Amino acid sequence: MKQREEKKIIIIGAGLVGSLWAVYMAKEGYKVTIYERRSDIRKTVISAGKSINLALSNRGWKALDAVGVGDEVRKFAIPMYGRVMHDTQGMLTYQQYGNEDQAIYSVSRGLVNARMMDMAEQKGNANIFFEHECRNVDLEKGIVYLTNKQTGEQFEDKGELVFAIDGAFSAVRYNAMQKIDRFNYSQNFIADGYREILLPANADGTYKMEKNALHIWPRGRFMLIALANNDGSFTCTLFMPHQDHKYSFDKLTSKEKVNGFFKEVFPDFYEMLPDIAEEWAKHPLSSLAIVRCHPWVSGRVALMGDSAHATVPFYGQGMNAGFEDCTVMSELIQKHGSNWEAIFEEYNRERKPDGDALQDLSLENYIEMRDLVGDPMFLLRKKIEAKFSSLYPDKWMPLYSQVTFSSIRYSVALKQGAIQREIMDKIMAKADINETWDNPEIMDEIISLCE
Amino acid sequence: MKQREEKKIIIIGAGLVGSLWAVYMAKEGYKVTIYERRSDIRKTVISAGKSINLALSNRGWKALDAVGVGDEVRKFAIPMYGRVMHDTQGMLTYQQYGNEDQAIYSVSRGLVNARMMDMAEQKGNANIFFEHECRNVDLEKGIVYLTNKQTGEQFEDKGELVFAIDGAFSAVRYNAMQKIDRFNYSQNFIADGYREILLPANADGTYKMEKNALHIWPRGRFMLIALANNDGSFTCTLFMPHQDHKYSFDKLTSKEKVNGFFKEVFPDFYEMLPDIAEEWAKHPLSSLAIVRCHPWVSGRVALMGDSAHATVPFYGQGMNAGFEDCTVMSELIQKHGSNWEAIFEEYNRERKPDGDALQDLSLENYIEMRDLVGDPMFLLRKKIEAKFSSLYPDKWMPLYSQVTFSSIRYSVALKQGAIQREIMDKIMAKADINETWDNPEIMDEIISLCE
């Protein structure tokens, strides 16, 4: 730990990002107190109810490794090297995500969060107070108004700085920041919800499907996905409109209808899980929202992670983006030292466009996952891109790789992705592309379009 | 009053729309209780600080006259038949709003509100409780949780229905509706703020400018406007970016700078008000926001007026749209009787697109007012449109007239306006339009473009 006068900071929220940020701030010589609304998940049964298995990728690992906690997570992370698409006949198609050694990693949200809390306490010397609710914050003074939910006691605490890392429906943002003049805010629920389904292991503990891939059943307007757990099971998630569609959640009102739906549209899945209707009832139907706001800082307070830029999960970047907020803020500490006015100002100015871009990318990728990956022409497009990229890596990194396997700013990736899409639209518009795609002339044409 | 079992409803907010809605509901046989956070403006000096003189137009009058309160407002409303544009040399240009007898009406917000409260009490038999704050609402049960701000007493009240007509930063929306699942919400502050300035009457009580017109000093990125009051004064408002522009509020930091600014860009105004720097300090700099949300109803509660669709003031439609909400809801009562589930469902579904369109129109009209009305080509365009409209009134009602002098749905007006703009773009693109505009061929060409 650096030799510096120990100053106290407060973190609201002991979630994934809050716990990691505690480690960062402890390394910078700050004394860290965390207040968390929920009880200690390490002492209770982890609810898989609203978890969505998470996919850790480059940005996440970078932030974890920078403070030496990556290896703790690697112990239980399962690499996924590509997507396996399941069509309505149960036929499988495989699409590799990047190079052969590039993978995204399936991890349980609960498990990562529990280990991050350990790290916050052990490496960050943080005191975590559970079941403490933040009622309000004095943004200028850094005073946090709290309620101990077990005793009902109301009290206040004061930090040099306060980091509001308390999630998509942040109490700090709602109770304090939303009330300041000229605070822009939006919460926008998309038309689709999700429901989790657990696909158990075989009786001998083995996996029912390839574990090192992300499984997708793309069905146009909706999709099912599955990510492996360490115990041989898969956490599966059905994403679908709430209502107003031929296939929507409001139509699945009985066991018979759930069974009929899975038999019809996911027959190979139904075969693996014939008691789907029982599993169906174990998890609630949940909603999905994009939350945008600005500014992300006010007085002594900064929003990080979902409280600043909650997104829909379709690019698997929510946690990764939150972890990357730590990387960004940490780099600004290296640049500005303890001049937090400068740090907050630059964080607010420079990181916000990346939060917006992350959200745009997440929405775009839902269409790719649920619809396009089932289209042979789309897979051909990706194959041509991959070939060009391997021949001319300096000229072309596929958008998925920019987002997932690099630290290129999300806002830059979004722009580059749009340029690439325009180029590939021209290539794919060629009448004979199915026959000619592997010819050198196609590569030459892409080069000329790149210039 | 209709003979019906008297049912109690609660209105939160005794503003313009809340007070009017009390009259409507009393006529339908409901017993009305209103809770208002502020004190009774009729007993205090009316603050002109955040008023923006309002422009009553067709939709507003229609809603007022339907319950017989229009004449009370006509007593002090000042008709404005057109705009007077002031250029940087003090030269004036006049543009009539509609036909010769069509006008919008300047009224003081405070005065209208006071008379509407009288009406609510006298015609609506409403009990208005001032200085009562709404802490929360049980949306399903219609229970309102209140605090008497004078005594500190906390209590609850229950209505068959609750109408949240409590303004752009509605307590009902914030405390209750924003927390329900899948409630979409956004508050978006525009880059511009405003500051009011009072231009007093001449010593003999006469007006310093034409009273029956809305005065505009269009300056591209910013503008000053003035609306007449009954006492010979004008309420003027400067709209301008908060920062980051050659002319923005953050630069006007001293009396000298304010004086210099007005001398330079509004010389004829400065001549009328040489002690502008004194007046300047009397009113605060305020912000402007668009608030969108959906749904507008939940359980027994409905949002009306600004709480549902707060907008920026550039089309002069905020109050008119709120009053029109009363017209719409009242028509649904005539259609569905006391089936409030059906009334709320249809109100929510049918009125929301008009709220959105009103906001889009308001934003568009800022550009027209601050920039285009100073452009001779824009005025020519309006002249051609007016001529065509007077020749073929069935084929063409100018957008301004649709919004201001008709009850055409805002969403329809927005669409028709876009079509008209496309047609006029083609006409204005003609090289010799300055010479040929009055030729019959131009009218013929517009007819053919209309088909």
Side-chain angles (χ1 to χ4, degrees):
Chain A
M1 205 180 289
K2 296 183 187 171
Q3 290 309 309
R4 202 188 273 191
E5 194 193 346
E6 204 173 56
K7 287 192 172 177
K8 176 178 171 178
I9 64 121
I10 294 172
I11 294 175
I12 307 296
L16 298 163
V17 182
S19 301
L20 177 61
W21 187 237
V23 180
Y24 272 84
M25 287 303 280
K27 283 203 185 273
E28 293 296 333
Y30 291 89
K31 170 143 184 51
V32 179
T33 300
I34 306 183
Y35 293 103
E36 165 61 45
R37 187 171 54 85
R38 279 175 273 220
S39 56
D40 190 343
I41 49 167
R42 295 169 298 184
K43 292 176 185 163
T44 54
V45 179
I46 292 171
S47 153
K50 292 190 125 189
S51 73
I52 303 185
N53 265 31
L54 301 168
L56 247 173
S57 54
N58 183 283
R59 295 167 205 268
W61 290 119
K62 183 178 164 187
L64 294 172
D65 287 330
V67 288
V69 301
D71 287 341
E72 193 57 40
V73 178
R74 274 189 192 87
K75 289 178 189 165
F76 54 87
I78 301 173
M80 301 180 286
Y81 296 95
R83 299 163 167 157
V84 172
M85 274 70 77
H86 297 237
D87 77 9
T88 49
Q89 313 302 315
M91 294 286 290
L92 307 186
T93 315
Y94 182 70
Q95 187 203 352
Q96 192 172 289
Y97 277 131
N99 304 333
E100 274 176 26
D101 56 343
Q102 287 180 322
I104 60 176
Y105 293 79
S106 172
V107 292
S108 141
R109 185 196 183 95
L111 211 52
V112 181
N113 205 150
R115 286 300 77 73
M116 294 311 302
M117 286 175 180
D118 293 343
M119 293 293 120
E121 289 174 341
Q122 291 157 20
K123 295 209 169 203
N125 292 314
N127 283 315
I128 311 181
F129 296 92
F130 291 95
E131 298 187 59
H132 276 66
E133 193 163 56
C134 171
R135 299 195 320 279
N136 212 340
V137 177
D138 184 322
L139 300 167
E140 295 306 317
K141 293 186 181 146
I143 299 171
V144 181
Y145 300 90
L146 297 143
T147 301
N148 180 329
K149 288 166 70 181
Q150 288 182 301
T151 64
E153 184 205 357
Q154 298 199 343
F155 66 104
E156 55 186 71
D157 196 3
K158 191 173 183 313
E160 281 294 308
L161 304 163
V162 177
F163 296 93
I165 320 183
D166 51 346
F169 294 95
S170 165
V172 177
R173 193 189 61 220
Y174 177 80
N175 293 318
M177 294 188 82
Q178 200 184 310
K179 290 179 177 171
I180 62 179
D181 189 36
R182 298 178 66 204
F183 184 73
N184 284 343
Y185 175 70
S186 74
Q187 57 184 58
N188 184 37
F189 287 85
I190 67 170
D192 301 44
Y194 71 91
R195 195 184 267 270
E196 272 196 23
I197 299 151
L198 189 75
L199 175 66
N202 289 316
D204 62 357
T206 56
Y207 289 89
K208 286 194 197 293
M209 303 184 293
E210 167 60 48
K211 67 176 276 205
N212 290 121
L214 191 151
H215 294 263
I216 311 184
W217 289 255
R219 293 298 180 266
R221 189 58 189 78
F222 61 99
M223 70 175 179
L224 177 69
I225 66 168
L227 286 81
N229 297 315
N230 283 293
D231 64 356
S233 68
F234 284 85
T235 295
C236 313
T237 312
L238 175 65
F239 296 95
M240 193 161 67
H242 283 283
Q243 64 216 27
D244 300 334
H245 281 270
K246 185 180 170 197
Y247 298 105
S248 50
F249 279 113
D250 64 342
K251 300 212 166 58
L252 302 177
T253 49
S254 68
K255 285 191 176 184
E256 290 68 37
K257 285 176 179 165
V258 170
N259 272 324
F261 170 71
F262 274 84
K263 262 189 220 176
E264 179 194 343
V265 299
F266 306 123
D268 63 331
F269 186 85
Y270 183 79
E271 219 166 280
M272 290 187 286
L273 189 63
D275 53 350
I276 171 70
E278 309 296 325
E279 284 297 327
W280 183 261
K282 290 184 185 164
H283 299 288
L285 170 61
S286 300
S287 302
L288 294 163
I290 297 264
V291 178
R292 297 187 198 248
C293 63
H294 203 72
W296 288 358
V297 301
S298 182
R300 295 176 182 269
V301 180
L303 303 173
M304 293 172 75
D306 280 358
S307 69
H309 49 65
T311 190
V312 289
F314 305 115
Y315 227 122
Q317 286 295 310
M319 168 183 59
N320 290 290
F323 285 171
E324 195 177 52
D325 289 346
C326 299
T327 304
V328 169
M329 194 76 92
S330 168
E331 284 167 0
L332 292 172
I333 296 174
Q334 307 323 313
K335 181 172 172 185
H336 297 294
S338 56
N339 180 355
W340 281 94
E341 207 172 313
I343 294 168
F344 276 12
E345 191 277 328
E346 191 165 338
Y347 169 73
N348 183 54
R349 176 164 42 83
E350 289 297 316
R351 184 67 175 156
K352 163 71 174 165
D354 293 321
D356 285 336
L358 155 75
Q359 295 171 323
D360 294 341
L361 288 163
S362 304
L363 285 167
E364 275 180 16
N365 211 49
Y366 186 25
I367 296 165
E368 174 161 336
M369 287 180 81
R370 77 186 191 209
D371 196 354
L372 302 180
V373 295
D375 176 357
M377 287 307 280
F378 178 79
L379 296 176
L380 176 61
R381 173 190 286 247
K382 292 291 148 185
K383 212 191 286 187
I384 299 170
E385 261 196 75
K387 182 181 170 192
F388 185 78
S389 174
S390 71
L391 288 173
Y392 304 99
D394 296 348
K395 287 192 192 298
W396 194 289
M397 187 189 292
L399 177 58
Y400 188 89
S401 297
Q402 293 182 54
V403 172
T404 309
F405 303 126
S406 90
S407 296
I408 294 169
R409 289 182 63 167
Y410 289 120
S411 54
V412 173
L414 180 69
K415 276 178 212 147
Q416 290 180 166
I419 295 167
Q420 291 178 344
R421 187 183 309 128
E422 243 178 77
I423 293 173
M424 287 307 296
D425 283 349
K426 286 181 190 150
I427 298 296
M428 297 305 290
K430 301 170 90 70
D432 53 354
I433 188 67
N434 261 304
E435 291 78 48
T436 60
W437 74 270
D438 211 14
N439 298 353
E441 293 77 34
I442 296 292
M443 295 296 112
D444 293 344
E445 191 164 345
I446 300 178
I447 289 184
S448 72
L449 288 169
C450 281
E451 278 147 15
Chain B
M1 205 181 287
K2 295 183 186 169
Q3 291 307 313
R4 203 188 272 190
E5 195 195 344
E6 203 173 56
K7 288 191 171 177
K8 176 178 171 178
I9 63 120
I10 295 171
I11 294 174
I12 307 296
L16 299 162
V17 183
S19 301
L20 177 60
W21 186 237
V23 181
Y24 272 84
M25 287 303 280
K27 283 203 184 275
E28 293 295 333
Y30 291 89
K31 171 141 183 52
V32 179
T33 300
I34 306 183
Y35 293 103
E36 166 60 44
R37 185 171 56 85
R38 278 173 273 218
S39 56
D40 190 344
I41 51 165
R42 295 168 299 184
K43 293 176 185 162
T44 53
V45 178
I46 292 171
S47 152
K50 292 190 127 190
S51 75
I52 302 186
N53 264 32
L54 301 168
L56 247 172
S57 55
N58 184 282
R59 297 167 203 267
W61 289 118
K62 183 178 166 189
L64 294 172
D65 287 331
V67 288
V69 301
D71 287 342
E72 194 59 40
V73 178
R74 276 189 191 86
K75 289 177 187 165
F76 54 86
I78 302 172
M80 302 180 285
Y81 297 95
R83 299 163 169 157
V84 171
M85 274 72 76
H86 298 237
D87 78 8
T88 48
Q89 312 301 315
M91 294 287 289
L92 307 187
T93 315
Y94 182 69
Q95 187 203 354
Q96 192 173 289
Y97 278 131
N99 303 332
E100 273 176 25
D101 57 343
Q102 288 180 320
I104 60 176
Y105 292 80
S106 171
V107 291
S108 141
R109 183 193 187 98
L111 212 51
V112 182
N113 205 150
R115 287 299 78 72
M116 294 311 301
M117 285 175 181
D118 293 343
M119 294 293 119
E121 289 174 341
Q122 291 157 20
K123 296 209 168 203
N125 293 313
N127 283 316
I128 310 181
F129 296 91
F130 292 94
E131 298 187 60
H132 277 66
E133 192 164 57
C134 171
R135 300 195 318 280
N136 211 340
V137 177
D138 184 322
L139 301 167
E140 295 306 318
K141 294 187 181 144
I143 300 171
V144 181
Y145 300 90
L146 297 143
T147 301
N148 180 330
K149 286 166 71 181
Q150 286 181 302
T151 65
E153 184 205 356
Q154 298 200 342
F155 66 105
E156 55 186 70
D157 196 2
K158 190 175 184 310
E160 280 294 308
L161 304 162
V162 177
F163 295 93
I165 320 183
D166 51 346
F169 294 95
S170 165
V172 177
R173 193 190 60 220
Y174 176 80
N175 292 317
M177 295 188 79
Q178 201 184 309
K179 290 178 177 172
I180 62 179
D181 188 35
R182 299 178 63 202
F183 184 74
N184 284 342
Y185 175 71
S186 72
Q187 59 184 56
N188 184 36
F189 286 85
I190 66 171
D192 301 45
Y194 71 91
R195 196 184 267 269
E196 272 195 25
I197 299 150
L198 189 75
L199 175 65
N202 289 316
D204 63 357
T206 55
Y207 290 90
K208 286 193 196 292
M209 303 184 290
E210 168 60 45
K211 69 177 273 205
N212 291 121
L214 190 150
H215 295 263
I216 311 184
W217 290 255
R219 294 296 181 267
R221 190 57 189 79
F222 60 99
M223 69 175 177
L224 177 70
I225 65 169
L227 286 82
N229 297 315
N230 282 293
D231 64 356
S233 68
F234 283 85
T235 296
C236 313
T237 313
L238 174 65
F239 296 95
M240 193 163 68
H242 284 283
Q243 63 214 29
D244 300 333
H245 280 269
K246 184 180 170 197
Y247 297 105
S248 49
F249 279 113
D250 64 343
K251 300 211 166 60
L252 301 177
T253 48
S254 68
K255 285 192 177 183
E256 291 67 37
K257 285 177 179 166
V258 171
N259 272 323
F261 169 71
F262 275 82
K263 263 189 217 175
E264 179 193 344
V265 298
F266 307 123
D268 62 332
F269 186 86
Y270 183 78
E271 219 166 280
M272 290 187 285
L273 189 63
D275 53 351
I276 171 68
E278 308 298 324
E279 284 299 326
W280 182 261
K282 289 184 186 165
H283 300 287
L285 170 61
S286 300
S287 302
L288 295 163
I290 298 264
V291 178
R292 298 188 198 247
C293 63
H294 203 72
W296 288 358
V297 302
S298 182
R300 295 174 181 270
V301 180
L303 304 173
M304 292 173 75
D306 281 357
S307 69
H309 49 65
T311 189
V312 289
F314 306 114
Y315 226 122
Q317 286 295 309
M319 168 182 60
N320 290 290
F323 284 171
E324 196 178 51
D325 290 345
C326 299
T327 305
V328 169
M329 193 76 93
S330 169
E331 285 167 359
L332 292 172
I333 297 174
Q334 308 322 312
K335 181 173 174 184
H336 296 294
S338 58
N339 180 356
W340 281 94
E341 206 172 314
I343 295 167
F344 276 12
E345 190 279 326
E346 193 165 335
Y347 169 73
N348 183 52
R349 176 164 43 82
E350 289 297 316
R351 185 64 174 157
K352 164 70 174 168
D354 294 321
D356 285 337
L358 155 75
Q359 294 170 325
D360 294 342
L361 288 162
S362 304
L363 286 167
E364 275 179 16
N365 212 48
Y366 186 25
I367 296 164
E368 175 161 335
M369 288 179 80
R370 78 186 191 210
D371 195 355
L372 301 179
V373 296
D375 175 358
M377 286 308 280
F378 178 80
L379 297 175
L380 176 61
R381 171 190 287 246
K382 291 291 148 184
K383 214 192 285 186
I384 299 170
E385 260 195 74
K387 182 183 170 190
F388 185 77
S389 175
S390 71
L391 288 173
Y392 304 99
D394 296 349
K395 289 194 192 295
W396 194 290
M397 187 189 292
L399 176 58
Y400 189 88
S401 296
Q402 294 182 52
V403 172
T404 309
F405 302 126
S406 91
S407 295
I408 294 170
R409 290 182 60 167
Y410 290 120
S411 54
V412 173
L414 181 68
K415 276 178 210 148
Q416 290 180 166
I419 294 167
Q420 291 178 345
R421 188 182 307 127
E422 242 177 78
I423 293 173
M424 289 306 297
D425 282 350
K426 285 179 189 149
I427 300 295
M428 297 305 291
K430 301 170 88 70
D432 54 354
I433 189 67
N434 262 305
E435 292 77 47
T436 61
W437 74 270
D438 212 13
N439 298 353
E441 293 77 36
I442 297 292
M443 296 294 112
D444 294 344
E445 190 164 342
I446 300 179
I447 290 184
S448 70
L449 288 169
C450 281
E451 277 149 15

